[in-house]
Amino acid sequence: MNPTRILPDLQCSLVCEEIRQEVNGNFILIGVINFIRVPKLPVTAFRLCVVNRWTAGLGQFTETVKLIAPDQTTVLRKGEVKFGLQEAGLHASNVTVFAQVEFKTAGTYYVEVLVDDVMKLRYPVPVILAPPPNQPPPSAPPTPQTPVA
């Protein structure tokens, strides 16, 4: 008996600033993101791209990608795409683009990747508030200057 459907494995998932596709179909990942460091909040990310690569599956599937706020319940963005794998030895690469994502607070945001409502991966994307050097934090009073003799 041959299986007609096998849920695929998630080979990798990466958040990037930009993803481009070459004429031959290969993807170019630009600015792979480990964390987001910003000088002030709130801030809006022009574009966040999530690339997922699936393998070892058979059949038709729905991929869901969610960006979750630090409260771990608020879904900031959600994308879905349908894809298929005709043989278990093949792979599929999907790109989800989230435009104009507003980060209101610092903290750990999460990317969740599901296939047919089965969670395959959940990983953190920290947003770090880091004012530029030599600049006091917004709530600190100004430092008095000592006159030079």
Side-chain angles (χ1 to χ4, degrees):
M1 181 165 130
N2 289 335
T4 57
R5 192 160 188 283
I6 301 170
L7 209 58
D9 293 331
L10 182 60
Q11 191 174 27
C12 73
S13 180
L14 293 169
V15 179
C16 305
E17 294 174 14
E18 180 71 46
I19 299 175
R20 298 185 185 150
Q21 192 167 20
E22 296 184 73
V23 175
N24 64 10
N26 291 336
F27 289 104
I28 300 170
L29 308 181
I30 301 170
V32 175
I33 295 173
N34 293 319
F35 55 85
I36 300 170
R37 180 176 292 152
V38 296
K40 65 180 180 114
L41 289 165
V43 68
T44 301
F46 174 69
R47 162 186 275 207
L48 291 176
C49 303
V50 179
V51 61
N52 293 317
R53 183 169 163 134
W54 299 93
T55 190
L58 182 63
Q60 298 296 314
F61 311 99
T62 301
E63 171 193 277
T64 304
V65 178
K66 298 177 186 178
L67 180 62
I68 310 291
D71 67 9
Q72 300 192 37
T73 57
T74 304
V75 178
L76 298 176
R77 292 286 190 282
K78 178 180 174 182
E80 288 188 351
V81 64
K82 294 188 183 300
F83 70 100
L85 293 167
Q86 304 308 316
E87 296 178 26
L90 298 177
H91 69 270
S93 297
N94 300 329
V95 176
T96 301
V97 178
F98 296 137
Q100 302 296 318
V101 179
E102 183 179 25
F103 295 101
K104 295 181 180 180
T105 63
T108 304
Y109 292 73
Y110 295 89
V111 172
E112 290 184 354
V113 182
L114 301 91
V115 63
D116 291 348
D117 296 322
V118 175
M119 178 140 12
K120 287 291 188 167
L121 185 62
R122 182 176 198 264
Y123 58 95
V125 180
V127 172
I128 303 164
L129 179 60
N134 301 326
Q135 181 177 335
S139 60
T143 306
Q145 297 293 324
T146 306
V148 178

